[in-house]
Amino acid sequence: QHSQLSDLGIHVGRTVLDEKTRELLAGKAPLEALKKATEHASPHVRAGAMEALGSFGDERQVLALLQRGRLDLSAGVRAAALRSRVRIASPDDALDALRRAARHEDPVLRTAAADAAGAWRDGRAADVLLELARDPSLFVSTRAVEQLGQHPSDAVRTELHAFLGHADNGMRLA
């Protein structure tokens, strides 16, 4: 089945769109629908729109909508905007967004930074995750330790080994 999916331009674990799908998504209709969704009264709808925008690529209209999400009153919407921004931004912009979110006062955004860094395939993600692994919020630090497994290296393994002695059972199990 994996080979059939690969023949269609779809790879398990990451999305690779075929040319027809890219052309369809590049049209105005999907972006217009998502623009309306970013203005919806429900934060769940706005967050879903922000997540979907991460599939469109780094273009001006998408980035403007993600910026709107970054300023939303809902932490869930801001978290979704961050995850999408990291997916489509240049490596330096993604790192900057992750570092800003890792220092944010809201643990929801710091947790989103851990999730985004875990999914980001850049060697610098481990540094962000190691910083978040020492977060005062156990929710954030546990998520960061879980995501460190996505970035195996000798240095990360050494740090993960040290967490085995942590006083919190959740951290030891992460």
Side-chain angles (χ1 to χ4, degrees):
Q1 176 152 6
H2 288 277
S3 64
Q4 291 172 339
L5 291 175
S6 293
D7 292 342
L8 295 173
I10 301 169
H11 298 280
V12 177
R14 62 188 167 118
T15 304
V16 177
L17 303 175
D18 64 23
E19 193 61 37
K20 268 192 165 173
T21 305
R22 269 191 236 121
E23 287 174 17
L24 175 66
L25 291 176
K28 291 185 183 204
L31 277 178
E32 286 302 316
L34 286 174
K35 182 178 181 187
K36 286 181 184 175
T38 65
E39 299 166 353
H40 197 275
S42 168
H44 301 291
V45 173
R46 295 192 312 271
M50 292 299 147
E51 291 286 354
L53 286 168
S55 300
F56 277 81
D58 188 358
E59 58 182 71
R60 190 177 328 147
Q61 187 176 8
V62 171
L63 293 175
L65 292 172
L66 288 174
Q67 178 65 13
R68 178 183 296 167
R70 193 174 81 79
L71 302 173
D72 198 279
L73 292 176
S74 167
V77 175
R78 294 191 310 269
L82 171 68
R83 288 188 296 268
S84 288
R85 177 68 188 248
V86 169
R87 276 198 307 269
I88 66 172
S90 70
D92 289 339
D93 287 344
L95 181 62
D96 182 55
L98 285 171
R99 285 184 174 154
R100 267 187 281 115
R103 292 188 303 270
H104 199 277
E105 66 184 27
D106 191 335
V108 172
L109 283 182
R110 296 194 311 270
T111 302
D115 289 338
W120 191 41
R121 297 297 164 233
D122 187 291
R124 299 173 291 180
D127 295 334
V128 174
L129 288 167
L130 287 169
E131 176 186 338
L132 288 167
R134 290 169 180 74
D135 194 276
S137 165
L138 281 175
F139 182 67
V140 175
S141 58
T142 301
R143 184 70 62 94
V145 170
E146 289 171 352
Q147 295 298 329
L148 276 167
Q150 302 297 318
H151 298 278
S153 70
D154 289 341
V156 167
R157 277 191 274 292
T158 300
E159 292 289 336
L160 287 173
H161 185 71
F163 287 114
L164 290 174
H166 197 278
D168 181 72
N169 192 41
M171 285 290 282
R172 285 195 307 270
L173 294 175

